[in-house]
Amino acid sequence: MSSTEDVPSLLLVEDDAVLGPLVAELLGIDYRIRLVANGRDGLHAGLTEVWDVMIIDRGLPGMDGVELIKALRSKGITVPILILTALGSTQDKVDGLDAGANDYMTKPFDAAELNARLRALTRSFTLPRTSLGIGDWELDTASRSIRSVYGPLVSLTAKETELLAALASEPERVFTRDELITSLFQPTDQPGVIDTYVHHLRRKISKAVVRTVHGVGYQIGDAHE
Ligand code: CA
């Protein structure tokens, strides 16, 4: 998706019938834009596709901007988000940033400033994305997500991503729990934490995504059932 496009992808969630299309047109030269006009559509698009940046209006029908950002963050979506708020509402800005937005702009806003803020938020876009193949699945460590050829995009937490990436980096190798604890977790963490993460990954992706090698540890699987 976005990783193969020349321009970054931008999800714009704005219900204002004038402002939405205006911003989309304004930024359409530099970004591949999808405009959706309510929070629920924003959540669906945010969870099912990979985006380089999002602009989310504070006041939205269906699910407001702050709720939307919280929902995306709780699902492990780490994409930079700029929240649009009404002029002068400090509490809106605080709420937006606390919910997980990276930046905000107040309406009405200056187009050049919006562009500059988006450039700052997407600066890492030029860095190569890291993707690792796991059977039919492709793990994208930059966006912390995994997807199969046919299935939906599955969002992962930072630790889930690190664990999968570590296992997938050496597919032939069986890792002991102690090795995984040492490289990925705190020395004070118990080896059982690895089992917990493996359990989460199997539930989210497939039972076969990680193979248990009895008496030894874990190895990357092929992600088939
Ligand atoms: Ca609005």
Side-chain angles (χ1 to χ4, degrees):
M1 299 220 83
S2 60
S3 56
T4 56
E5 301 277 350
D6 290 324
V7 294
S9 58
L10 188 156
L11 176 63
L12 172 61
V13 191
E14 170 61 77
D15 64 311
D16 187 303
V18 175
L19 190 62
L22 192 73
V23 173
E25 196 186 330
L26 192 75
L27 300 172
I29 306 159
D30 299 313
Y31 299 87
R32 185 169 55 80
I33 300 206
R34 165 91 67 81
L35 170 62
V36 297
N38 69 71
R40 302 216 170 274
D41 288 349
L43 183 63
H44 184 257
L47 293 178
T48 55
E49 291 176 49
V50 176
W51 301 95
D52 293 302
V53 66
M54 296 181 190
I55 297 177
I56 296 177
D57 180 31
R58 170 68 167 86
L60 289 168
M63 170 186 258
D64 87 0
V66 167
E67 293 305 312
L68 172 56
I69 293 168
K70 279 185 189 163
L72 290 168
R73 293 304 190 221
S74 76
K75 298 284 185 189
I77 302 291
T78 56
V79 56
I81 297 174
L82 182 145
I83 189 164
L84 290 176
T85 68
L87 180 65
S89 175
T90 306
Q91 191 56 47
D92 277 2
K93 295 171 193 168
V94 171
D95 289 347
L97 294 172
D98 281 350
N102 303 80
D103 200 0
Y104 63 83
M105 283 209 65
T106 49
K107 299 187 210 178
F109 51 81
D110 181 78
E113 186 182 351
L114 177 63
N115 250 313
R117 286 179 182 272
L118 289 173
R119 277 198 300 277
L121 286 174
T122 58
R123 201 146 281 156
S124 62
F125 175 73
T126 51
L127 294 172
R129 281 171 179 265
T130 337
S131 69
L132 283 161
I134 301 170
D136 285 344
W137 294 73
E138 187 166 300
L139 172 70
D140 184 341
T141 57
S143 65
R144 290 179 190 158
S145 60
I146 186 165
R147 80 182 322 152
S148 74
V149 182
Y150 309 106
L153 184 81
V154 178
S155 295
L156 302 171
T157 66
K159 278 294 170 211
E160 288 167 352
T161 306
E162 285 176 28
L163 177 56
L164 265 190
L167 294 171
S169 67
E170 289 180 74
E172 305 301 320
R173 184 171 153 200
V174 181
F175 291 76
T176 67
R177 289 175 180 79
D178 285 341
E179 283 175 328
L180 293 167
I181 284 282
T182 305
S183 55
L184 301 174
F185 292 85
Q186 300 297 320
T188 49
D189 283 326
Q190 295 298 310
V193 73
I194 302 291
D195 304 322
T196 306
Y197 275 94
V198 167
H199 175 73
H200 286 313
L201 287 168
R202 284 174 174 159
R203 264 196 11 203
K204 274 188 171 180
I205 303 165
S206 152
K207 277 180 193 150
V209 70
V210 176
R211 220 163 63 78
T212 301
V213 180
H214 289 290
V216 188
Y218 291 114
Q219 183 178 21
I220 199 70
D222 59 8
H224 288 295
E225 282 292 347

